[in-house]
Amino acid sequence: MPLTFADPGTQAIPLHVITEDALETWLAAQPEATAHWLRATGFTAALGQAAPVPDGAGGIALAVAGYGTEAARARGRFHLAAAATALPEGTYRIEGLPQEATEVEALGWLLAHYAFDRYREQGSAKARLVAPEGVDAARLEVIAAGEALTRDLVNTPAADMGPDALETACTDLAARFGARVEVVCGGDLIAQNFPMIHAVGRAAAQAPRLIDMRWGDAGPALTLVGKGVCFDTGGLNLKPGSSMGLMKKDMGGAATVLGVAQMIMTLGLPLRLRVLIPAVENAVSATAFRPGDILTARNGLTVEVNNTDAEGRLVLADALALGAEEAPDLMVSMATLTGAARVAVGPDLAPYFTDDSRLAAALDRAAEKVADPVWRMPFHAPYEAMIEPGIADLDNAPSGGMAGSITAALFLRRFAGGLPYTHFDIYAWQPKPAPARPKGGVGMGARALLEALPEVLGL
């Protein structure tokens, strides 16, 4: 089912959204048969509850959805998405929802219709929604489509989403919007000075590459850099099997920036967009890069490789150095970079790093508005010494295990050229099903960034 709203002229079933404390008052105002039916079904207006009320002629007179308590709502988001999956097929129109929650809940309803069905038909919500009054329905549909692109890319296993396929996804997206794509591949990475991208990906059957997409000819310049490690074995520092199982999602940064790019281009934001994706597979072969190797990055900094499983920051470094050469107004990287970020904030928050407090404030406000939670982390300068090994300029995997997300972010900042720069260390995966978010790939930080861009870039 498409992630779109029903035609506003469609005959729609009223869907009453009811909090627990308002239930009895609402029932008292209904016909006796309606109140009796709902009490008989055990409807208490708890979060996640939804029930249709028959009309006596085989149809549905109305439906109700529980909106719980304020305390219960604070422990989640997209609460009405549960109703989208629980209600029978039909078209519904929301009534009684607080205006401040309407946009988020309408988006959640759309996202509840997502299903990854490339390999097997999957069930999804059948209940469609007429866009509530006061929301920008077209914008929400654009956001849902961008999120669906991100989820599809992350969910696709590496056998079908290697560097070749990720390049195809980029070129297909570019073709839809008249964007321009250049790709530097294989040995050309050495010739054109992307040595770390080449080193990380050279052991794989599919050649490593840097994908460079541009769109827009006027306005402020935004460069998005996404980690495109299509599968990460850990290299010669081989991951255990338990850690390798989710490594198809290690290109979640690339998937997320492509979702954001699709949103930006569809909405026609007045900016100059550049998307840089180093697409590699961190594989094991006789040509794999080794612990102890010292690599020279695009910007001339030398890097001691103390762990081949800390490869994401290496490929991002070359891409960031390229992006910095044009001095964009804002450069943002997104990457499934460190397990330390998950230890710090868990799977639901997107931690980000920036030196710009104005940008941070805009992101935080945007995140709260669009229910896309983020958390600011520090570029803590005293930790710079932790990434300086002595034998080279930088260490890709400092020993000790402390502040792993921060030291990774500090490493990346060395390649951003002192420009306005923000880094997201995302998870890109929903470990357990939740309203509007089935288990699997998920966008993180994308909607918050999109919402903040007009303020940050003066659009």
Side-chain angles (χ1 to χ4, degrees), residues 196 227 303 309-318 320 335 337-338 387 395-398 404-405 407-409 411-412 415:
M196 295 210 292
K227 175 185 170 185
V303 179
D309 196 20
E311 85 299 330
R313 67 201 69 183
L314 301 177
V315 298
L316 286 169
D318 273 351
L320 287 167
L337 202 63
T338 69
I387 59 172
D395 182 343
N396 85 317
S405 181
T407 55
F411 181 99
L412 294 180
F415 299 88

Side-chain angles (χ1 to χ4, degrees), residues 1-359:
M1 184 172 287
L3 276 60
T4 56
F5 293 107
D7 188 295
T10 305
Q11 177 109 19
I13 300 164
L15 174 63
H16 297 270
V17 180
I18 309 168
T19 60
E20 288 185 26
D21 60 0
L23 176 60
E24 288 304 319
T25 300
W26 185 86
L27 288 174
Q30 303 307 306
E32 184 177 347
T34 297
H36 178 75
W37 174 270
L38 289 173
R39 288 194 173 99
T41 63
F43 181 77
T44 63
L47 276 181
Q49 282 191 323
V53 177
D55 62 5
I60 301 174
L62 59 90
V64 292
Y67 212 51
T69 64
E70 185 175 354
R73 291 192 297 276
R75 299 181 67 170
R77 58 190 188 276
F78 299 133
H79 306 296
L80 285 189
T85 56
L87 290 171
E89 186 171 358
T91 300
Y92 297 82
R93 187 186 305 275
I94 291 175
E95 297 185 5
L97 183 66
Q99 185 61 41
E100 64 272 15
T102 302
E103 184 171 294
V104 166
E105 299 294 4
L107 176 62
W109 193 288
L110 292 182
L111 293 176
H113 290 83
Y114 172 82
F116 182 64
D117 54 8
R118 176 168 176 170
Y119 302 96
R120 176 188 176 190
E121 186 175 346
Q122 305 285 346
S124 65
K126 302 297 183 185
R128 298 197 69 193
L129 187 70
V130 173
E133 291 185 9
V135 305
D136 187 337
R139 179 181 173 85
L140 292 183
E141 290 174 348
V142 168
I143 292 170
E147 169 69 16
L149 172 62
T150 294
R151 294 182 183 185
D152 282 347
L153 293 172
V154 174
N155 285 329
T156 303
D160 294 321
M161 189 48 64
D164 289 347
L166 186 53
E167 177 185 333
T168 298
C170 294
T171 55
D172 287 349
L173 180 63
R176 287 172 49 200
F177 294 98
R180 308 175 298 283
V181 176
E182 295 181 359
V183 179
V184 183
C185 189
D188 288 341
L189 289 166
I190 297 295
Q192 298 189 38
N193 194 23
F194 300 104
M196 295 210 292
I197 297 174
H198 183 270
V200 171
R202 71 192 184 201
Q206 292 185 22
R209 66 208 65 198
L210 176 72
I211 305 164
D212 186 349
M213 182 174 75
R214 297 175 183 268
W215 173 87
D217 298 315
L222 170 67
T223 296
L224 303 177
V225 184
K227 175 185 170 185
V229 178
C230 296
F231 194 82
D232 181 17
T233 66
L236 292 175
N237 291 112
L238 195 69
K239 292 178 182 288
S242 59
S243 299
M244 214 182 294
L246 280 182
M247 284 301 100
K248 70 175 185 179
K249 78 170 184 68
D250 213 20
M251 41 65 71
T256 302
V257 299
L258 286 175
V260 175
Q262 177 173 290
M263 297 176 200
I264 288 171
M265 293 187 292
T266 306
L267 294 171
L269 297 189
L271 54 77
R272 291 172 289 144
L273 174 66
R274 189 180 194 186
V275 177
L276 296 172
I277 295 175
V280 303
E281 182 175 348
N282 188 19
V284 177
S285 78
T287 61
F289 74 123
R290 297 159 293 258
D293 284 354
I294 294 181
L295 307 176
T296 301
R298 180 179 180 85
N299 68 352
L301 291 176
T302 55
V303 179
E304 182 180 8
V305 177
N306 281 309
N307 192 323
T308 62
D309 196 20
E311 85 299 330
R313 67 201 69 183
L314 301 177
V315 298
L316 286 169
D318 273 351
L320 287 167
L322 173 65
E325 289 167 11
E326 289 193 352
D329 296 287
L330 175 64
M331 188 156 56
V332 178
S333 60
M334 289 189 159
T336 51
L337 202 63
T338 69
R342 307 287 68 78
V343 173
V345 300
D348 201 40
L349 283 165
Y352 72 94
F353 298 79
T354 184
D355 288 318
D356 186 340
S357 294
R358 186 181 70 89
L359 183 148

